[in-house]
């Protein structure tokens, strides 16, 4: 990986094996251009590919469907599946929806992949629209999602940052969502964020 490449802020990366032998993907949702932690968000989850089991990596590419700002995500392989199956959850929003780069963080999406490369939309796990405080900060946010699969269910965990006082949003609540895998089916990608 060339440290001088355009994308200078990687964070919260996850490496997964694809269905192609010796091919890995490094996914990241927290990437920006510019100096330090400031700059322009990447706008979507991005990935780099290794074709030699991690010895070298390609330049990063966008997964345009996986819109996000500076926010967390989770990927997990379903070890109970007969073939290669991954689930991913991420805070699904367009950075252009809010003047502050890392907001609104009001939607949590769930996708699946059978090759580690192509993703199918399954559902909104959570939609939580937040009012803004007088300074333009969303009072409610979805934070730090994770995912795990069992033979019968997908479990999604995430935090909700809720209003603590009239002008802060520091109270956090853990949510656990239990999803029956037999009821999941592919859906069209949403066009509004």
């Amino acid at each position: 990986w060339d440290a001088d490449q355009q994308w200078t802020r990687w964070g919260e990366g996850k490496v997964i094996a694809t269905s192609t032998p010796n091919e890995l993907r490094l996914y990241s949702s927290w990437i920006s251009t510019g100096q330090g932690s400031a700059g322009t968000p990447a706008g979507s989850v991005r990935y780099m590919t290794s074709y030699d089991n991690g010895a070298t990596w390609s330049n990063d590419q966008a997964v345009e469907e996986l819109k996000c700002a500076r926010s967390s995500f989770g990927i997990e392989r379903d070890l109970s599946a007969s073939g290669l199956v991954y689930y991913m959850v991420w805070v699904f929003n367009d950075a252009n929806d809010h003047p502050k780069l890392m907001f609104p963080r009001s939607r949590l999406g769930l996708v699946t992949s059978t090759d580690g490369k192509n993703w199918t939309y399954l559902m909104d796990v959570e939609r939580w629209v937040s009012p803004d405080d007088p300074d333009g900060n969303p009072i409610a946010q979805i934070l730090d999602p994770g995912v795990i699969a069992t033979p019968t269910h997908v479990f999604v965990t995430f935090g909700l940052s809720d209003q603590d006082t009239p002008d802060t949003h520091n109270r956090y609540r853990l949510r656990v969502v239990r999803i029956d895998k037999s009821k999941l089916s592919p859906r069209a990608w949403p066009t509004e964020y």
Side-chain angles (χ1 to χ4, degrees):
W1 170 43
D2 180 0
D4 294 326
Q5 68 183 9
Q6 176 185 4
W7 299 98
T8 59
R9 180 156 177 102
W10 282 78
E12 303 188 20
K14 314 272 192 295
V15 175
I16 65 171
T18 71
S19 57
T20 304
N22 298 315
E23 183 179 295
L24 303 174
R25 279 208 174 175
L26 166 61
Y27 287 96
S28 180
S29 68
W30 191 1
I31 315 168
S32 62
T33 59
Q35 299 298 314
S37 62
T40 305
S44 67
V45 171
R46 299 185 70 90
Y47 68 92
M48 291 192 295
T49 304
S50 173
Y51 301 101
D52 53 13
N53 208 27
T56 61
W57 295 88
S58 69
N59 287 332
D60 68 294
Q61 302 290 318
V63 185
E64 298 290 345
E65 299 89 354
L66 301 176
K67 294 286 186 191
C68 70
R70 288 189 188 143
S71 47
S72 301
F73 75 116
I75 300 175
E76 187 70 28
R77 184 171 177 181
D78 184 349
L79 297 177
S80 65
S82 60
L84 186 67
V85 175
Y86 288 103
Y87 291 99
M88 182 192 304
V89 287
W90 86 108
V91 181
F92 184 21
N93 63 268
D94 191 327
N96 296 323
D97 284 351
H98 199 278
K100 296 193 175 184
L101 295 181
M102 50 185 84
F103 299 128
R105 296 190 189 185
S106 58
R107 180 187 204 146
L108 186 63
L110 175 66
V111 291
T112 190
S113 175
T114 57
D115 62 7
K117 306 174 196 180
N118 300 291
W119 297 91
T120 300
Y121 198 76
L122 295 175
M123 65 181 291
D124 287 351
V125 177
E126 179 73 68
R127 292 290 302 269
W128 202 30
V129 177
S130 170
D132 283 350
D133 74 6
D135 295 325
N137 296 303
I139 293 170
Q141 303 168 39
I142 295 172
L143 308 164
D144 304 324
V147 62
I148 189 89
T150 69
T152 57
H153 290 84
V154 173
F155 289 86
V156 176
T157 59
F158 58 98
L160 294 178
S161 170
D162 203 353
Q163 186 173 7
D164 191 28
T165 67
D167 60 354
T168 65
H169 54 91
N170 295 324
R171 180 173 58 197
Y172 296 98
R173 300 177 184 196
L174 174 65
R175 298 284 302 264
V176 179
V177 179
R178 180 176 178 254
I179 303 164
D180 184 338
K181 286 163 64 173
S182 70
K183 296 181 179 178
L184 288 172
S185 60
R187 300 186 185 278
W189 283 91
T191 57
E192 55 89 14
Y193 304 101

